[in-house]
Amino acid sequence: ITDQGGKVDQGGGYWASHGYTNAQGYVDVELFARSAPYKFQVTYNYTSKTQYPVVSVGGGDEIFQTEQAEVTLNKGCSGDPLDGGVVTYSAGAWRSFGVTGDDGPGRVVKELFPGTYTVKLSYNYRTNTISHDLTTPFAFETTAVTFHYPGSIVYAGGSWRTFVKPTMNLLPGDYRFKFDGLEQNITVAGCEMENTVALVKLLDSNGNGLAGGTVKYYDAGWHSIPGSTDANGNLFYLIPGNKSNLKFRMTYAGASQEKWQDVSANATVVFQTELVTLKLLSSTGVELDAGAMYYASGWKTFGSGTTTTSMELLPVNYKFRVTYGGARQEKWQNVGSNPDVTFQTKLVTRKLLSSTGAELDAGAMYYASGWHTFGSGTTTTTMELLPVNHKFRVTYGGARQEKWQNVGSDANVTFQTTLVTMTLVASDGTTPIAADDTKYYASGWHSFGGGTTPTTMELLPVNHKFRVTYGGASTEKWQNVGSNATVAFQTGKVHSDSGTAVQYYASGWRPFTQDMELLPANYKFRFNDGTPETWITIAAGTTNHIH
C-alpha cells in the first residue's frame, strides 16, 4: 500500500491486529519462518483484501495493492462533464466516494481494493444506483430534459423542487412532476428528451370534468393521444419537439370537435359540452313521451331514451330523431347555437265526407311501422301525430281507401265518397228497367241502394264489383267509381222467330214471351214444337233471335 492508514490483521484462530501502514505504506511484523502460509488481511478505505504469504528465514515483503477507482458524471448526448454529483459506495455501510469535479471536470477518484461495488450517484435531487467493478472507470450520464410549457414546473426530489426551464439535466428514471399543480408520472430516458406539454380538458356545461373523451392533434398528420380523459376531464400528453399552434380534435359520445391553440402561450386546451335537452311537444305545447336518439358515428340513444330527456354533447351539428305513434321524424341542429332540440306534433283531423259534404262514420287507421287505430277509430276523429308523411286508411261500406299525406303541410286528412248510381236499361239503350235486386261486393255482398234500378248510394271512390238481378238471372262487373260513378247495365232483346219458345231457365223455368228483355247471360230455352232444349247466350244492346 502506498499510503498510510491501511489496517493490517493476521488471521488464525482469531484476527490479530498489527496496526496501520505508515506514510510509506509499510508495517513491520516479526514472524517465525515456516513453510505453511500465514493469513493476512489489509483494510483500506473500508475495502479489504486477504493474502496468504509464506515467511522464510530472513523475511521479505508482502505487497497489497489498491487501484484507483474512477466515477464520472457526463451530460447525455454531448458527453460534457458535470460537477456536483455526490458519489457514495457500499462497504459495510454507505461510504463517501466524493463529488464529481473533485478530481477534474466531472471526475472523482478513490483508491480501493479491486472488486465489484454498489455505487450511488446523487444529482439534482435524484439518486441512481449501479453495481460495478470500480477498477474499470464508470460514467453516469444525465438526460437533457426540455419542457416547453408556459406555466410553472416542479418535480419530486425529497420535496418539490423547481424545474429550471426550459432544460435541466436529470438522471434517468421515473419522476413525479407538477405542471401548475397537475401531477404526472414521467419517465426520463435517453440522452435527451424535448417535449411540448399539452393538457387537454373536457368539461361539462357546469365546468365539471367528463371522462371518456379521446383526443388527436394535427402535426403533419393526425396523431392519437393515448388514453382518454379521466374523471376530472384531464388528458395530459407530452408532444415530441417544440410546438406552438396545433389543431386538436376531441371525440366524445360519437361526435368530434376541433380547435386550434397555441400551446406555447397556453398549454391547457379546453373543450366544453352543452347540456342538450330533447323534447316532443303536442300541438298545444304539452310534453309527450317519445323515443329519443341522435346520430354521431351511428345512431345512439339520447339521454334516457324517452323524451323529455337531456345529455351532455359537444357543441356541434347533430341529427336528432324522435319516434312517436310508430312514426319518426329527424332533423339537424347545431347544439352550440341552440341546445334545446324541440319536435312538435300536429293535431291531425280525419274525416269522411259524402259527395254533398256531410260527415260519415267510417273506420280510421294509419300506417307507421304497422297499422294503428287513428284516434277513436271512427271518423270524424283527431290525433296528435308527427308532422311527416303517413299513409291513412278509411273503411266504409265494407270497402277501404288509402292515401299518403304529409300532415306537416296539411293536418286535415279528408276522404270523400262518391254518389254512385246503378241503372238497368233495355236493349234500346234508353228505356229504364226496374231490376229485381242490386248488390255490390266489398268484403262480402251488400245491398246497393234501394235494391231496384235506378238507385244510388254513397261509396268510396275505389274499384267495386256490382251485381244486378233481373228475370231470375244475374250479371256482374267491376268498376272504379272514382273514375265513373254511373254503373250501367243493359239487357238484350230476345225474339223467337217461330214463336215456339215457351220457357227459359234462370233460377228455375220461367215463361217466355215472344219478345222480352233479358240480361246478357247464357240461358236454356224450351220449345213447344218438339225442338230439343237449347242453350243460347244473350248479348246486351241488340236483338237476339231464337230459331
Side-chain angles (χ1 to χ4, degrees), residues 91-435:
W94 287 105
R95 314 294 181 177
S96 175
F97 193 97
V99 179
T100 59
D102 288 351
D103 299 296
R107 179 173 179 267
V108 60
V109 299
K110 200 171 191 71
E111 289 288 336
L112 300 174
F113 282 114
T116 297
Y117 297 89
T118 301
V119 182
K120 290 182 179 180
L121 182 138
S122 298
Y123 184 74
N124 275 339
Y125 307 102
R126 167 81 185 196
T127 300
N128 281 7
T129 303
I130 57 101
S131 290
H132 189 69
D133 182 352
L134 288 182
T135 58
T136 301
F138 178 77
F140 286 86
E141 290 190 347
T142 62
T143 299
V145 180
T146 301
F147 289 132
H148 299 287
Y149 181 70
S152 66
I153 309 173
V154 295
Y155 67 99
S159 60
W160 291 106
R161 310 292 180 176
T162 299
F163 181 88
V164 181
K165 297 188 300 182
T167 304
M168 278 189 73
N169 280 284
L170 298 177
L171 291 172
D174 295 329
Y175 287 77
R176 189 75 173 161
F177 283 86
K178 277 186 184 180
F179 296 87
D180 284 324
L182 179 66
E183 294 190 24
Q184 293 294 320
N185 291 319
I186 296 175
T187 298
V188 172
C191 63
E192 63 180 4
M193 52 186 290
E194 181 181 18
N195 295 282
T196 298
V197 177
L199 172 60
V200 186
K201 297 180 72 72
L202 177 60
L203 305 178
D204 68 13
S205 54
N206 292 318
N208 301 312
L210 281 175
T214 59
V215 182
K216 291 184 177 182
Y217 69 94
Y218 191 88
D219 182 22
W222 285 105
H223 305 272
S224 295
I225 295 178
S228 59
T229 55
D230 61 18
N232 296 316
N234 295 327
L235 182 58
F236 180 90
Y237 189 61
L238 298 177
I239 299 173
N242 184 9
K243 306 298 179 182
S244 54
N245 203 29
L246 294 172
K247 181 188 282 189
F248 292 86
R249 176 190 292 165
M250 172 66 72
T251 300
Y252 179 73
S256 297
Q257 183 186 12
E258 297 175 0
K259 66 188 294 186
W260 287 91
Q261 185 155 325
D262 185 352
V263 290
S264 65
N266 181 4
T268 303
V269 184
V270 179
F271 291 85
Q272 190 163 19
T273 59
E274 290 276 358
L275 182 62
V276 181
T277 300
L278 184 59
K279 294 180 181 180
L280 175 64
L281 302 180
S282 72
S283 57
T284 59
V286 176
E287 292 185 3
L288 300 174
D289 291 339
M293 300 189 78
Y294 73 103
Y295 191 90
S297 304
W299 284 105
K300 297 176 172 57
T301 299
F302 182 92
S304 65
T306 304
T307 57
T308 296
T309 184
S310 301
M311 76 180 290
E312 296 282 341
L313 288 178
L314 291 171
V316 296
N317 204 26
Y318 296 85
K319 183 187 282 188
F320 296 91
R321 176 192 287 171
V322 291
T323 304
Y324 181 76
R328 67 189 187 193
Q329 185 183 9
E330 298 171 359
K331 70 175 180 179
W332 286 92
Q333 185 165 323
N334 191 319
V335 298
S337 304
N338 181 6
D340 295 317
V341 183
T342 303
F343 291 82
Q344 191 163 21
T345 59
K346 286 274 190 178
L347 182 62
V348 181
T349 300
R350 289 281 306 278
K351 293 181 181 181
L352 175 62
L353 302 180
S354 71
S355 58
T356 60
E359 292 186 4
L360 300 174
D361 290 340
M365 299 189 78
Y366 73 101
Y367 190 89
S369 305
W371 286 103
H372 305 269
T373 300
F374 182 94
S376 65
T378 304
T379 57
T380 296
T381 184
T382 60
M383 182 178 185
E384 296 282 341
L385 287 181
L386 290 173
V388 296
N389 206 24
H390 291 77
K391 182 188 281 190
F392 296 93
R393 175 190 288 171
V394 66
T395 304
Y396 180 75
R400 68 188 186 193
Q401 185 183 7
E402 297 173 0
K403 71 174 179 179
W404 286 92
Q405 185 166 322
N406 190 320
V407 296
S409 304
D410 183 1
N412 294 307
V413 183
T414 302
F415 290 82
Q416 191 165 20
T417 60
T418 296
L419 183 62
V420 181
T421 301
M422 277 186 70
T423 63
L424 176 61
V425 296
S427 57
D428 60 10
T430 57
T431 304
I433 297 175

